[in-house]
Amino acid sequence: MTERETSAGFHVGGETVQTYNDEHYKKLRERWGLGDDFLATFDFTKNMKGGGGKGGDLMGFTTDKLFIVKEVNPGDQKSLLKITEDYAQHLLDPHGSLLARFFLHFSRKGKDFLVMNNWMPPPRYDAVDSMEELGFDLKTNYNRFDLKGCADDKTLVALGEPVHAVHKRIFNVGMWCGDALWTPERKRYFEGKKHAREVKFHVSQATHDEISKQTKRDVAFLQKWGLMDYSLVVSYHGVPRTHLDVARSVYAGTSDGGAQPYLAASKDTLYISYVGIIDFLQDWTCAKKVAMCVKCCERNKATIPPVCSSVLSLMN
């Protein structure tokens, strides 16, 4: 489907919005147990903020942080309309998928929006009665990563603290003359990028095999449609094995229909992980081809063409 198509209205935050191809998204909502009222209390005024993408698109979380409502730019809109039916069939296939789950595509006040699951739902620390009585810092060993298998890998959260992006843009001359003029924030961001390239995650062999198979299947789907620049996002939390009840409390209600989070354990530690693929609607356009040519001499370039499976290297 390549043309703009709308169907019956859907209620989002008390407003009636026009949906795109909802006969397919309705199947996904049913598969993941969502009623048509799952966004009934969403507040566009309070929840939507700028900065949801490289172009500053609007983005907001539902109150429970389980879903993301994101503005869709014209390029992504074109890709989304093109792949909708095949995408829905891909996610409903019993072999499983790590692609972000899209549950609603709609238009509101001249802008297009997409509703998806949050692959990195935050731990619910307020579920713990007293953090002081635990005997350890529950937040310390919580981490998030955005991985592409190239120079654009980055750490989003390290040891419970956000890692803010400080980019070395071409116009920041001082940043290209060694790190002497780098700010502490830039140094922390750079160390986070290096760490993201090297970090290993504790998962069971069965989970590793499942993630590998699903990732290969998803990448093949994205390559078929000529889509690129997608990321593998991972949230990773270590909790003392003696506190299984605490882990259950802070992650209660965040499960992906029973499949995630993934659990693994060492002698002393329980590891809770979420893994998913996001930002996969970028088409392999002429502009991206030019950018690839400009970066031809750069090692580990961030622009990933659709024929390249850089994300798959993360699983080896």
Side-chain angles (χ1 to χ4, degrees):
M1 300 181 183
T2 58
E3 297 182 359
R4 182 182 176 94
E5 298 184 10
T6 60
S7 59
F10 193 97
H11 295 290
V12 179
E15 301 180 29
T16 300
V17 299
Q18 292 300 308
T19 62
Y20 295 95
N21 304 317
D22 203 49
E23 66 273 19
H24 301 297
Y25 295 110
K26 186 176 180 62
K27 294 176 183 178
L28 297 179
R29 293 195 298 273
E30 292 174 348
R31 161 62 180 82
W32 274 276
L34 299 178
D36 287 351
D37 60 348
F38 80 110
L39 292 174
T41 61
F42 186 79
D43 190 324
F44 278 97
T45 302
K46 293 182 179 180
N47 293 14
M48 299 298 284
K49 303 181 185 301
K54 292 181 179 179
D57 301 324
L58 293 173
M59 187 177 79
F61 292 87
T62 54
T63 302
D64 57 14
K65 306 297 184 184
L66 295 183
F67 305 100
I68 298 171
V69 180
K70 187 175 182 180
E71 182 182 354
V72 182
N73 64 48
D76 287 359
Q77 174 77 355
K78 182 179 179 181
S79 295
L80 190 54
L81 289 174
K82 181 173 61 176
I83 71 170
T84 299
E85 184 173 2
D86 197 19
Y87 164 81
Q89 292 175 355
H90 181 82
L91 260 66
L92 293 170
D93 188 285
H95 288 94
S97 170
L98 294 177
L99 295 182
R101 286 82 165 91
F102 298 158
F103 296 120
L104 185 68
H105 183 199
F106 66 93
S107 176
R108 174 185 181 267
K109 295 183 178 180
K111 294 184 177 181
D112 298 313
F113 296 89
L114 183 62
V115 182
M116 67 194 78
N117 69 315
N118 178 9
W119 266 135
M120 297 184 288
R124 299 176 177 178
Y125 296 121
D126 57 357
V128 180
D129 293 332
S130 175
M131 298 284 279
E132 291 76 14
E133 294 179 4
L134 286 178
F136 67 96
D137 188 345
L138 180 60
K139 300 180 181 180
T140 297
N141 201 20
Y142 179 68
N143 308 273
R144 291 182 182 178
F145 303 91
D146 183 318
L147 308 173
K148 291 179 181 288
C150 69
D152 212 20
D153 290 354
K154 50 183 168 285
T155 301
L156 303 175
V157 176
L159 302 179
E161 296 295 332
V163 178
H164 300 291
V166 182
H167 299 290
K168 190 173 69 171
R169 301 302 190 194
I170 192 168
F171 50 79
N172 292 329
V173 180
M175 288 193 179
W176 293 88
C177 302
D179 58 8
L181 299 179
W182 287 8
T183 63
E185 292 78 12
R186 166 62 190 175
K187 291 179 180 178
R188 185 166 186 262
Y189 177 63
F190 180 69
E191 290 301 317
K193 288 176 70 66
K194 292 197 299 182
H195 177 58
R197 293 298 307 274
E198 302 167 355
V199 66
K200 296 184 183 297
F201 309 103
H202 291 267
V203 295
S204 68
Q205 185 61 51
T207 296
H208 176 276
D209 294 344
E210 177 181 320
I211 293 174
S212 297
K213 290 178 182 178
Q214 291 183 1
T215 301
K216 291 176 181 178
R217 180 173 176 268
D218 290 336
V219 168
F221 170 83
L222 298 173
Q223 289 177 338
K224 180 178 75 171
W225 285 101
L227 301 173
M228 58 175 292
D229 273 358
Y230 36 88
S231 297
L232 186 78
V233 291
V234 180
S235 70
Y236 186 64
H237 199 171
V239 177
R241 190 165 180 169
T242 54
H243 288 74
L244 176 60
D245 57 332
V246 173
R248 286 173 172 164
S249 296
V250 297
Y251 283 98
T254 65
S255 176
D256 173 48
Q260 293 197 43
Y262 298 116
L263 302 178
S266 64
K267 179 181 178 181
D268 301 314
T269 306
L270 177 68
Y271 301 99
I272 305 106
S273 304
Y274 276 93
V275 180
I277 297 175
I278 65 168
D279 295 342
F280 50 81
L281 293 176
Q282 172 63 58
D283 201 0
W284 184 234
T285 61
C286 291
K288 285 295 182 179
K289 292 176 182 177
V290 171
M292 189 69 176
C293 292
V294 170
K295 297 178 182 180
C296 64
C297 296
E298 180 183 348
R299 294 184 62 191
N300 297 319
K301 54 184 68 65
T303 299
I304 305 176
V307 295
C308 175
S309 305
S310 296
V311 170
L312 291 178
S313 67
L314 300 169
M315 304 310 303
N316 296 326

